[in-house]
Amino acid sequence: MMVSTLRAFAPTFNRYPSRAFSIKTQMGSITRNPDAHSSTSKPTETPITLREWQGWGSTSPVPTMVTEIIDELKVLEKNVDAQMSFGGNGGKLQGYFKTQEDKKHRATYKALGSSEQKLQFFSARQIACRLLGSRDYLCQKCWLPVEDCMCSRVKHYSLWDGARFWLYMHPKDFLRQNNTGKLLLQVFGVEATTLSLYGIAEHEEIMWNAFKLAGKSKVCCLYPNKNATSKGIQEAFGSELSTKQENTQQLTDGDGILNFILIDGTWSNSAAMFNRLKEQAILVWGEDIPCISLSTGSSAMHKLRPQPSWDRTCTAAAAASLLSELQIVPKFSSVDFGKQGEALEDALEVLLEALTARRIRMGRSITRKVRHASSFC
């Protein structure tokens, strides 16, 4: 259930202070439908630890509401005397437990008083279920089934220390196998890419605290929406400073780091995500969030995950194109953005090969028909 109109979320942050916490109850046995995944996980009774949570790509503490929902799932498991069972895309709940949990979470959602509360509940529930459903099945780094792990073929490459990516991800894309945003975490590492999950208060607080510190002039959102006022790369960066080397170095000093926001979700979901960013930018700066657009188009991932149109592309390809276009800006001539973009493109090819090989192995088609206008990876 998606919330179309979202209120500003700043006032709600105090409800979830960033702090360490413990889980009071132990997770029970979790089973997986072997028909859905062709794999059965071993039962586990361990909770979601900080180490496990951060293993998926986050640098934050485990979100409070995610922990609360996992605890509630455990209580429900006892009350209905049925084990949690997961399967299908995204590690979805299945069977009798799913039926009972659907009734409970729909009632909870309906009783919430504001759209903000509903969004936070929706996001936390999505993430909680995906975390539990992916255990002992997906590789924590590449988010592919363990037997299809591609990590050994992905090469790490350092991003220029004057830039940082913020991967603003929809919860339905979290741990999604064909998601490409995860490649930024694999290639550049958490030192240069921060995962920020949409609707997770702690993540959005961390992100906006960084933006406030950096200042509006050092924050921009890569969003190819014709209805949004955006600048091309040359227009946004080409005329600010001269081509002297010391000016490039100056960008890395103090709060001079350039913060690039990448919206990582389906095209239909990205509109709500972008609106949320705009609303918060107006609260913080009194103006819309600065946007930039690319002059390049599609990527190889169209073969497996079609876009609404060929001028739209997946998250990793968009980031690679951004780096490629930054390379030709005179003041960035010494930064070597080109090679950084190539490293990301190489990782995208590895992902495409891994997904293709899996489809062939499972007897599935390696091409997909366009079903809906929804695939911003």
Side-chain angles (χ1 to χ4, degrees):
M1 208 175 289
M2 190 63 241
V3 183
S4 59
T5 303
L6 306 178
R7 298 180 182 176
F9 54 85
T12 67
F13 282 146
N14 291 334
R15 181 182 173 190
Y16 304 112
S18 298
R19 58 183 176 82
F21 55 85
S22 60
I23 298 177
K24 296 180 181 179
T25 61
Q26 295 293 312
M27 291 304 303
S29 299
I30 300 175
T31 61
R32 186 183 308 280
N33 184 341
D35 296 329
H37 285 311
S38 299
S39 172
T40 304
S41 64
K42 296 180 180 179
T44 175
E45 296 182 354
T46 58
I48 300 294
T49 64
L50 177 63
R51 181 176 180 179
E52 179 181 354
W53 166 248
Q54 294 187 344
W56 295 110
S58 177
T59 56
S60 75
V62 187
T64 303
M65 188 173 284
V66 171
T67 301
E68 291 173 354
I69 288 177
I70 290 175
D71 287 346
E72 290 172 1
L73 288 171
K74 177 57 184 174
V75 171
L76 181 63
E77 190 178 40
K78 292 181 179 179
N79 290 342
V80 302
D81 193 25
Q83 290 185 338
M84 284 180 270
S85 177
F86 297 87
N89 293 331
K92 297 178 182 178
L93 285 168
Q94 293 189 332
Y96 177 72
F97 184 88
K98 175 186 182 301
T99 302
Q100 299 305 308
E101 195 278 335
D102 273 349
K103 295 178 182 178
K104 184 177 185 299
H105 94 255
R106 290 178 187 277
T108 300
Y109 183 90
K110 185 177 181 180
L112 294 173
S114 70
S115 60
E116 179 60 34
Q117 291 175 323
K118 290 181 177 181
L119 172 63
Q120 292 185 9
F121 174 76
F122 163 83
S123 297
R125 178 183 171 274
Q126 284 285 328
I127 291 164
C129 290
R130 287 166 187 266
L131 285 170
L132 296 177
S134 299
R135 270 182 162 176
D136 299 325
Y137 175 58
L138 298 184
C139 167
Q140 283 196 291
K141 300 300 181 183
C142 66
W143 300 0
L144 294 181
V146 174
E147 62 268 26
D148 300 302
C149 177
M150 66 178 197
C151 291
S152 62
R153 291 176 286 160
V154 177
K155 296 181 180 179
H156 177 80
Y157 203 99
S158 296
L159 184 68
W160 177 51
D161 58 8
R164 170 168 285 275
F165 283 116
W166 291 86
L167 192 61
Y168 192 40
M169 183 179 292
H170 194 277
K172 284 192 172 182
D173 267 71
F174 181 58
L175 306 188
R176 188 169 181 168
Q177 294 176 36
N178 62 356
N179 173 274
T180 68
K182 64 189 176 186
L183 296 176
L184 280 82
L185 295 166
Q186 281 197 282
V187 174
F188 301 132
V190 295
E191 302 82 10
T193 304
T194 301
L195 176 63
S196 181
L197 290 162
Y198 170 71
I200 298 300
E202 294 94 332
H203 276 203
E204 293 181 319
E205 181 181 26
I206 290 169
M207 181 171 68
W208 278 99
N209 283 343
F211 294 167
K212 292 174 187 176
L213 182 63
K216 179 173 174 284
S217 64
K218 300 301 180 185
V219 178
C220 54
C221 178
L222 181 62
Y223 191 68
N225 186 345
K226 295 179 180 179
N227 296 323
T229 302
S230 61
K231 297 180 179 180
I233 303 302
Q234 286 290 339
E235 182 184 0
F237 300 104
S239 60
E240 291 181 2
L241 296 173
S242 69
T243 59
K244 293 182 180 179
Q245 174 68 27
E246 58 266 29
N247 286 325
T248 301
Q249 180 61 42
Q250 184 181 355
L251 287 173
T252 67
D253 296 337
D255 297 336
I257 293 177
L258 298 173
N259 295 272
F260 296 104
I261 307 170
L262 299 173
I263 296 180
D264 194 23
T266 64
W267 282 99
S268 56
N269 288 332
S270 70
M273 297 169 74
F274 180 65
N275 286 337
R276 188 169 176 83
L277 290 171
K278 285 180 61 178
E279 290 171 2
Q280 186 65 9
I282 291 172
L283 285 177
V284 173
W285 296 312
E287 298 177 349
D288 281 350
I289 194 162
C291 291
I292 55 175
S293 59
L294 300 173
S295 59
T296 49
S298 62
S299 76
M301 281 296 291
H302 276 277
K303 299 175 183 177
L304 287 180
R305 194 175 179 186
Q307 308 295 329
S309 62
W310 281 91
D311 63 341
R312 296 182 177 182
T313 190
C314 67
T315 304
S321 295
L322 170 62
L323 294 172
S324 177
E325 293 192 31
L326 285 172
Q327 178 63 49
I328 62 178
V329 176
K331 70 181 181 184
F332 295 133
S333 60
S334 63
V335 174
D336 216 5
F337 274 132
K339 289 186 178 180
Q340 294 162 36
E342 289 174 5
L344 204 49
E345 290 176 346
D346 290 343
L348 189 58
E349 288 293 335
V350 171
L351 175 59
L352 177 61
E353 291 172 3
L355 291 172
T356 300
R358 176 174 174 78
R359 284 178 178 273
I360 292 173
R361 179 167 58 81
M362 299 186 72
R364 297 176 181 173
S365 171
I366 61 173
T367 58
R368 295 181 62 181
K369 297 180 180 179
V370 178
R371 297 178 181 177
H372 303 288
S374 60
S375 281
F376 191 69
C377 303

